[in-house]
Amino acid sequence: MRSRRGHGESWAVTVSDTGLSSTTASRLIAGRQMILLLLVSFGSFFGFYLLLSVVPLYAAAGGAGASGAGAATGVMMLATVLMELAVARLVAGFGYRTVASAGLLMLAASAAALTLSERMPLVLAVCLLRGAGLAIVAVVGPALTAELVPVERRGEGLGLYGVAVGVPAVIGLPLGVWLSSHLGFHLVFLISGGVSVATLVAALGLPAQQGRSERHGRMLGGLRGSGLVRPAVIFAAFTVVAGVVETFLSLAMPAAVRAWVPLALLAQTAITPFARWGAGRLGDRRGSGPLLVPAVLTAAIGTAGLVWVASPIAVIAGMALFGIGFGIGQNATLALMLERVPPTEFGKASALWNLAFDGGFGIGAVGFGLLSAPVGYPTGFAVTALVLVVAIAPAWRDRRGGRKANHAS
């Protein structure tokens, strides 16, 4: 049954909400509602990733330059962060099915609106709507996943969810860049919107019940001593780099070697979800904390390789290494955060993890846009790698954060 706490302090769905007995749930990691959630996550993120590197290119083509490209991603991430603070309350008021469907409609409408103009005011307005839609699907997914899989296989379940949201990046990021350069921007926008609309069919099968939300202040408060802050800070370091490379790699590589951009993006996005899944399986057996330092180091080395931005080999190898570290870091930080809260606060942990994801992504995009103008792309990538080097210290402190006592619902 749905957890009940004073003032509705959190939202969650327990195993009994799915219609599965605990015995059945222990055997099934992907029941009917989990499969539908994976389909919704795959479709929504595929439509999103198709445009992630394309919109900055579209803004730059309209005369906005590197700062405008960074602003487009930064505005989108700002909207995502702000909406993430409200998702739990929206679910409490309208239910999972309605809220997830609204997020998909936002993604579809924003993609279609981009066909109207490449002028920055419209692009920025569209990015606000895209960010809000992204926030909804990004927060609902991990929290619901944690409730729909048995606790002893949570790391593997989160890894499976990571594949569902990571494979769209494998396909969407390079495909969006390739389609926009060969067939034009507008076709990519229409494909993205169509995918989001089609995904609504799967969203109709998600749980319709309402959750219980934390109050806004409570969501941000009570973090001290919770064990959530340090993993979130570590993860934010990864996402700062992700915001840089996924926004600017297409612009940073010289025109003579720019044809290699889709392959470089593919190298990162193809490895990340499977590194995330593998980290989940390993974390279930040995704990997630020990994975943090290797993840940060691998990602830092990969990012440093982007300094040789004119070398396709260096860029592809660097993106692959970053993808490995990023995938491991995604699963390890999220698993640690979910281990440190009871099921009634999964929504809080998921929202904070997504805040770290989107806040770091936006800061990376905006900051690099401002930094690269005076110092150039190679120096900018070197500075970006230092962000991960700094994150080694908190990762070292959390390295012993292995499996903790599971909270029963």
Side-chain angles (χ1 to χ4, degrees):
M1 65 181 62
R2 192 182 307 132
S3 175
R4 298 182 181 276
R5 297 181 61 176
H7 302 290
E9 290 176 345
S10 189
W11 57 282
V13 175
T14 61
V15 169
S16 58
D17 285 324
T18 71
L20 296 174
S21 67
S22 59
T23 301
T24 303
S26 66
R27 296 195 301 268
L28 297 177
I29 196 172
R32 175 180 174 275
Q33 288 188 335
M34 182 63 184
I35 291 172
L36 289 172
L37 176 61
L38 294 175
L39 289 173
V40 170
S41 300
F42 181 92
S44 57
F45 277 88
F46 178 66
F48 171 77
Y49 278 116
L50 268 177
L51 303 187
L52 184 57
S53 291
V54 171
V55 172
L57 288 173
Y58 188 58
S67 60
T73 300
V75 165
M76 181 181 66
M77 291 297 104
L78 174 62
T80 304
V81 167
L82 294 177
M83 177 59 78
E84 281 167 349
L85 295 173
V87 172
R89 184 169 294 178
L90 290 173
V91 171
F94 301 100
Y96 293 100
R97 182 184 301 164
T98 300
V99 173
S101 298
L104 285 166
L105 287 173
M106 290 178 186
L107 290 173
S110 59
L114 282 168
T115 63
L116 299 177
S117 173
E118 62 187 17
R119 296 174 67 87
M120 278 306 292
L122 176 65
V123 171
L124 294 178
V126 165
C127 287
L128 287 172
L129 188 61
R130 288 187 72 220
L134 173 65
I136 290 173
V137 297
V139 172
V140 168
L144 195 50
T145 297
E147 292 295 343
L148 293 176
V149 299
V151 65
E152 67 272 11
R153 299 180 69 185
R154 183 179 298 151
E156 185 180 355
L158 291 170
L160 183 62
Y161 169 79
V163 172
V165 300
V167 170
V170 176
I171 306 169
L173 272 172
L175 180 61
V177 173
W178 186 88
L179 286 174
S180 65
S181 64
H182 287 78
L183 301 177
F185 291 111
H186 286 193
L187 180 61
V188 185
F189 300 150
L190 293 176
I191 292 174
S192 174
V195 169
S196 296
V197 170
T199 305
L200 280 169
V201 176
L204 295 177
L206 292 180
Q209 75 270 11
Q210 298 172 336
R212 289 191 174 261
S213 67
E214 298 187 28
R215 289 184 289 181
H216 183 83
R218 177 84 180 207
M219 165 63 210
L220 295 178
L223 294 177
R224 187 172 184 178
S226 66
L228 299 179
V229 174
R230 195 154 54 230
V233 170
I234 296 166
F235 184 51
F238 286 102
T239 63
V240 164
V241 180
V244 170
V245 298
E246 293 181 16
T247 300
F248 287 98
L249 190 64
S250 300
L251 299 172
M253 293 189 75
V257 295
R258 196 162 291 165
W260 293 94
V261 170
L263 184 58
L265 291 172
L266 181 63
Q268 183 242 304
T269 56
I271 290 175
T272 295
F274 297 103
R276 185 173 178 177
W277 178 70
R281 289 179 61 86
L282 186 61
D284 282 341
R285 294 194 294 269
R286 300 184 181 180
S288 299
L291 301 176
L292 290 175
V293 171
V296 174
L297 282 173
T298 303
I301 293 170
T303 305
L306 302 181
V307 169
W308 292 278
V309 72
S311 168
I313 294 176
V315 171
I316 292 170
M319 290 291 284
L321 286 172
F322 173 71
I324 293 171
F326 189 33
I328 296 171
Q330 284 182 24
N331 198 286
T333 53
L334 181 57
L336 278 176
M337 292 171 73
L338 290 170
E339 287 171 9
R340 294 172 178 179
V341 296
T344 51
E345 294 186 2
F346 283 165
K348 175 180 179 177
S350 174
L352 181 61
W353 187 84
N354 278 284
L355 285 170
F357 195 130
D358 301 318
F361 201 101
I363 290 170
V366 174
F368 192 87
L370 297 174
L371 176 67
S372 62
V375 304
Y377 290 118
T379 301
F381 284 125
V383 173
T384 303
L386 290 176
V387 174
L388 284 166
V389 172
V390 172
I392 293 174
W396 181 263
R397 293 189 63 187
D398 249 359
R399 71 192 186 282
R400 300 188 186 279
R403 295 297 300 269
K404 294 195 172 187
N406 290 318
H407 299 274
S409 53

